Amino acid sequence: MLFVRTCKQAGFRFLSKTNVGLFQAAASTCGLSNVSIMLAQQADRVMALGEWEERWQEDRIGFHQPHVHKMLESHIDKVLAGRTGVRFFFPLCGKAVDMKWLADMGHSVVGVEISEKAIKQFFEENNMTYSEEPVPALAGAKVFKGSEKNISLYQSDLYNFSSAIEGQFGAIWDRGSLVAINPRDREKYAALIISLMAKDCRYLLDTMLYNPELYEGPPFLVPDDQVNSLFGKSCDVELLESFDSLTDRQRGWGLDYLDERVHVITPKSI
């Protein structure tokens, strides 16, 4: 294992049951960047778009939650900041029920998802009619628009999407997107997200911390330091909450701890 090989001369052995504090302390003792060590475990992990589409086709979607995410519910007032009619962006939206929840509150939603099946299931499972049309500005893409609610879902490669398509947004909810993209694409992803943020945007980001030697992902490990590295130059980053979210599902991956962390990211004032 990388950590063991790097630190063995210092007398450290990376234990299977650990926590973030122990990891960081050991890395510091070895004179190494704890973030670099953690990220190196998954740096070369790649999932093609076709693999994600295959998961949807085979209903291997354990990442989907059939209820509104509790962290969105808990921090919705922080995201809205007194605003009404906010335009929300959902990267890699899947069929998240959070989208209907927000639309029912009077907000508008734009999502991007590679799986057409996921998009159609969202409308069908929520008993919503929709229209389907091509997107001339996005080769091969389609947009599905709800008839009853202000929801537009683009079936497209996320990296082909831009503010030229739908403008900028007052809020972004990122649950299962940054942690799902290939780790080597995070700089590109962050640049896209920042370009979609209006001046008053509030970007709610859900990340995970776990021992990357025990599980290769996805979802991938995203340390706080990398969140700050990706967004900190142009945005203020605030950690809102951290909690233990280990369940039997993650134990089945081989994990012995899983910390879920929720951040709110806002553009810096000029």
Side-chain angles (χ1 to χ4, degrees), residues 40-64:
Q41 304 294 324
Q42 299 174 336
D44 298 325
R45 179 79 165 100
V46 174
M47 279 193 66
L49 290 178
E51 292 181 76
W52 286 110
E53 290 186 279
E54 188 176 276
R55 288 192 178 198
W56 279 100
Q57 289 301 324
E58 298 175 356
D59 291 322
R60 292 188 291 121
I61 53 171
F63 48 83
H64 172 69

Short mmCIF file of all heavy atoms in Angstrom, two decimals, residues 40-64:
data_model
loop_
_atom_site.label_atom_id
_atom_site.label_comp_id
_atom_site.label_asym_id
_atom_site.label_seq_id
_atom_site.Cartn_x
_atom_site.Cartn_y
_atom_site.Cartn_z
N ALA A 40 -3.68 10.08 -3.95
CA ALA A 40 -2.90 9.20 -4.81
C ALA A 40 -3.54 7.82 -4.94
O ALA A 40 -3.38 7.15 -5.96
CB ALA A 40 -1.48 9.08 -4.28
N GLN A 41 -4.28 7.40 -3.93
CA GLN A 41 -4.90 6.08 -3.95
C GLN A 41 -5.88 5.92 -5.11
O GLN A 41 -6.05 4.83 -5.64
CB GLN A 41 -5.62 5.82 -2.63
CG GLN A 41 -4.77 5.95 -1.38
CD GLN A 41 -3.70 4.88 -1.30
OE1 GLN A 41 -3.91 3.75 -1.71
NE2 GLN A 41 -2.55 5.24 -0.79
N GLN A 42 -6.56 7.02 -5.47
CA GLN A 42 -7.62 6.93 -6.48
C GLN A 42 -7.33 7.77 -7.72
O GLN A 42 -8.18 7.88 -8.60
CB GLN A 42 -8.94 7.39 -5.85
CG GLN A 42 -9.38 6.54 -4.67
CD GLN A 42 -10.61 7.09 -3.97
OE1 GLN A 42 -10.90 8.28 -4.02
NE2 GLN A 42 -11.35 6.22 -3.29
N ALA A 43 -6.13 8.31 -7.82
CA ALA A 43 -5.81 9.26 -8.88
C ALA A 43 -6.03 8.71 -10.28
O ALA A 43 -6.42 9.44 -11.20
CB ALA A 43 -4.37 9.75 -8.72
N ASP A 44 -5.78 7.44 -10.47
CA ASP A 44 -5.87 6.85 -11.80
C ASP A 44 -7.17 6.11 -12.06
O ASP A 44 -7.34 5.47 -13.10
CB ASP A 44 -4.69 5.88 -12.02
CG ASP A 44 -3.35 6.59 -11.95
OD1 ASP A 44 -3.27 7.75 -12.40
OD2 ASP A 44 -2.38 5.99 -11.45
N ARG A 45 -8.10 6.19 -11.12
CA ARG A 45 -9.39 5.51 -11.28
C ARG A 45 -10.22 6.26 -12.31
O ARG A 45 -10.42 7.47 -12.22
CB ARG A 45 -10.12 5.48 -9.94
CG ARG A 45 -11.49 4.81 -10.00
CD ARG A 45 -11.38 3.30 -9.99
NE ARG A 45 -12.67 2.70 -9.68
CZ ARG A 45 -13.50 2.19 -10.59
NH1 ARG A 45 -13.17 2.19 -11.87
NH2 ARG A 45 -14.66 1.67 -10.22
N VAL A 46 -10.71 5.54 -13.31
CA VAL A 46 -11.48 6.15 -14.39
C VAL A 46 -12.74 5.34 -14.64
O VAL A 46 -12.70 4.11 -14.72
CB VAL A 46 -10.66 6.23 -15.70
CG1 VAL A 46 -11.53 6.72 -16.85
CG2 VAL A 46 -9.46 7.15 -15.52
N MET A 47 -13.86 6.04 -14.74
CA MET A 47 -15.11 5.41 -15.16
C MET A 47 -15.61 6.13 -16.41
O MET A 47 -15.77 7.35 -16.41
CB MET A 47 -16.17 5.47 -14.06
CG MET A 47 -16.01 4.37 -13.02
SD MET A 47 -17.47 4.23 -11.95
CE MET A 47 -18.72 3.65 -13.10
N ALA A 48 -15.84 5.38 -17.47
CA ALA A 48 -16.34 5.96 -18.72
C ALA A 48 -17.83 6.26 -18.58
O ALA A 48 -18.53 5.66 -17.75
CB ALA A 48 -16.10 4.99 -19.87
N LEU A 49 -18.32 7.18 -19.41
CA LEU A 49 -19.74 7.53 -19.36
C LEU A 49 -20.61 6.30 -19.60
O LEU A 49 -21.67 6.15 -19.00
CB LEU A 49 -20.05 8.61 -20.40
CG LEU A 49 -19.49 10.01 -20.12
CD1 LEU A 49 -19.84 10.94 -21.27
CD2 LEU A 49 -20.03 10.55 -18.81
N GLY A 50 -20.13 5.43 -20.48
CA GLY A 50 -20.89 4.22 -20.78
C GLY A 50 -21.10 3.34 -19.57
O GLY A 50 -22.12 2.65 -19.46
N GLU A 51 -20.15 3.35 -18.64
CA GLU A 51 -20.29 2.55 -17.42
C GLU A 51 -21.42 3.08 -16.55
O GLU A 51 -22.16 2.31 -15.92
CB GLU A 51 -18.98 2.54 -16.65
CG GLU A 51 -17.85 1.79 -17.34
CD GLU A 51 -16.58 1.80 -16.51
OE1 GLU A 51 -16.52 1.03 -15.52
OE2 GLU A 51 -15.66 2.58 -16.84
N TRP A 52 -21.54 4.43 -16.50
CA TRP A 52 -22.63 5.00 -15.72
C TRP A 52 -23.97 4.69 -16.38
O TRP A 52 -24.95 4.36 -15.70
CB TRP A 52 -22.46 6.52 -15.59
CG TRP A 52 -21.38 6.90 -14.64
CD1 TRP A 52 -20.16 7.45 -14.94
CD2 TRP A 52 -21.39 6.76 -13.21
NE1 TRP A 52 -19.43 7.66 -13.80
CE2 TRP A 52 -20.15 7.25 -12.72
CE3 TRP A 52 -22.33 6.27 -12.30
CZ2 TRP A 52 -19.83 7.25 -11.37
CZ3 TRP A 52 -22.02 6.27 -10.95
CH2 TRP A 52 -20.78 6.76 -10.49
N GLU A 53 -24.05 4.77 -17.70
CA GLU A 53 -25.29 4.44 -18.40
C GLU A 53 -25.65 2.97 -18.17
O GLU A 53 -26.83 2.63 -18.00
CB GLU A 53 -25.13 4.72 -19.90
CG GLU A 53 -25.05 6.20 -20.23
CD GLU A 53 -25.04 6.46 -21.72
OE1 GLU A 53 -23.96 6.33 -22.33
OE2 GLU A 53 -26.11 6.77 -22.28
N GLU A 54 -24.64 2.12 -18.15
CA GLU A 54 -24.86 0.70 -17.91
C GLU A 54 -25.44 0.47 -16.53
O GLU A 54 -26.33 -0.37 -16.34
CB GLU A 54 -23.53 -0.04 -18.08
CG GLU A 54 -23.65 -1.55 -18.03
CD GLU A 54 -22.32 -2.22 -18.30
OE1 GLU A 54 -21.95 -2.39 -19.48
OE2 GLU A 54 -21.63 -2.56 -17.32
N ARG A 55 -24.95 1.21 -15.54
CA ARG A 55 -25.49 1.06 -14.19
C ARG A 55 -26.97 1.39 -14.15
O ARG A 55 -27.76 0.72 -13.48
CB ARG A 55 -24.71 1.96 -13.21
CG ARG A 55 -23.30 1.46 -12.91
CD ARG A 55 -22.69 2.21 -11.74
NE ARG A 55 -21.36 1.72 -11.42
CZ ARG A 55 -20.74 1.93 -10.25
NH1 ARG A 55 -21.35 2.63 -9.30
NH2 ARG A 55 -19.54 1.47 -10.03
N TRP A 56 -27.35 2.44 -14.86
CA TRP A 56 -28.76 2.81 -14.89
C TRP A 56 -29.57 1.75 -15.62
O TRP A 56 -30.67 1.39 -15.18
CB TRP A 56 -28.94 4.18 -15.56
CG TRP A 56 -28.67 5.31 -14.62
CD1 TRP A 56 -27.53 6.07 -14.53
CD2 TRP A 56 -29.56 5.80 -13.61
NE1 TRP A 56 -27.66 7.00 -13.53
CE2 TRP A 56 -28.89 6.88 -12.95
CE3 TRP A 56 -30.84 5.46 -13.20
CZ2 TRP A 56 -29.47 7.58 -11.91
CZ3 TRP A 56 -31.43 6.17 -12.16
CH2 TRP A 56 -30.74 7.22 -11.53
N GLN A 57 -29.07 1.24 -16.73
CA GLN A 57 -29.80 0.23 -17.49
C GLN A 57 -30.00 -1.03 -16.67
O GLN A 57 -31.03 -1.71 -16.79
CB GLN A 57 -29.05 -0.09 -18.79
CG GLN A 57 -29.08 1.02 -19.83
CD GLN A 57 -30.49 1.39 -20.25
OE1 GLN A 57 -31.38 0.55 -20.36
NE2 GLN A 57 -30.72 2.69 -20.47
N GLU A 58 -29.03 -1.37 -15.83
CA GLU A 58 -29.10 -2.59 -15.02
C GLU A 58 -29.65 -2.34 -13.62
O GLU A 58 -29.66 -3.24 -12.79
CB GLU A 58 -27.70 -3.21 -14.93
CG GLU A 58 -27.14 -3.64 -16.30
CD GLU A 58 -25.72 -4.15 -16.21
OE1 GLU A 58 -25.13 -4.10 -15.10
OE2 GLU A 58 -25.18 -4.60 -17.24
N ASP A 59 -30.11 -1.10 -13.38
CA ASP A 59 -30.67 -0.71 -12.07
C ASP A 59 -29.68 -0.93 -10.94
O ASP A 59 -30.07 -1.22 -9.80
CB ASP A 59 -31.97 -1.47 -11.79
CG ASP A 59 -33.11 -1.02 -12.70
OD1 ASP A 59 -33.18 0.19 -12.98
OD2 ASP A 59 -33.90 -1.87 -13.13
N ARG A 60 -28.40 -0.72 -11.21
CA ARG A 60 -27.38 -0.77 -10.16
C ARG A 60 -27.15 0.66 -9.67
O ARG A 60 -26.13 1.27 -9.93
CB ARG A 60 -26.08 -1.39 -10.70
CG ARG A 60 -26.22 -2.87 -11.03
CD ARG A 60 -24.89 -3.52 -11.38
NE ARG A 60 -24.36 -3.03 -12.66
CZ ARG A 60 -23.19 -2.43 -12.81
NH1 ARG A 60 -22.40 -2.19 -11.77
NH2 ARG A 60 -22.79 -2.05 -14.01
N ILE A 61 -28.16 1.17 -8.99
CA ILE A 61 -28.16 2.59 -8.63
C ILE A 61 -28.35 2.75 -7.12
O ILE A 61 -29.23 3.50 -6.67
CB ILE A 61 -29.24 3.38 -9.42
CG1 ILE A 61 -30.62 2.71 -9.28
CG2 ILE A 61 -28.86 3.49 -10.89
CD1 ILE A 61 -31.76 3.54 -9.83
N GLY A 62 -27.50 2.08 -6.38
CA GLY A 62 -27.57 2.19 -4.92
C GLY A 62 -27.31 3.59 -4.42
O GLY A 62 -27.66 3.94 -3.29
N PHE A 63 -26.74 4.44 -5.27
CA PHE A 63 -26.46 5.84 -4.91
C PHE A 63 -27.72 6.68 -4.92
O PHE A 63 -27.75 7.78 -4.36
CB PHE A 63 -25.42 6.45 -5.87
CG PHE A 63 -25.73 6.20 -7.33
CD1 PHE A 63 -26.61 7.00 -8.02
CD2 PHE A 63 -25.10 5.15 -8.00
CE1 PHE A 63 -26.89 6.79 -9.36
CE2 PHE A 63 -25.37 4.92 -9.35
CZ PHE A 63 -26.27 5.73 -10.03
N HIS A 64 -28.78 6.21 -5.59
CA HIS A 64 -30.02 6.99 -5.63
C HIS A 64 -30.73 6.92 -4.29
O HIS A 64 -30.83 5.86 -3.67
CB HIS A 64 -30.95 6.46 -6.72
CG HIS A 64 -32.32 7.08 -6.69
ND1 HIS A 64 -32.54 8.40 -7.03
CD2 HIS A 64 -33.52 6.57 -6.32
CE1 HIS A 64 -33.83 8.68 -6.88
NE2 HIS A 64 -34.44 7.59 -6.46
#
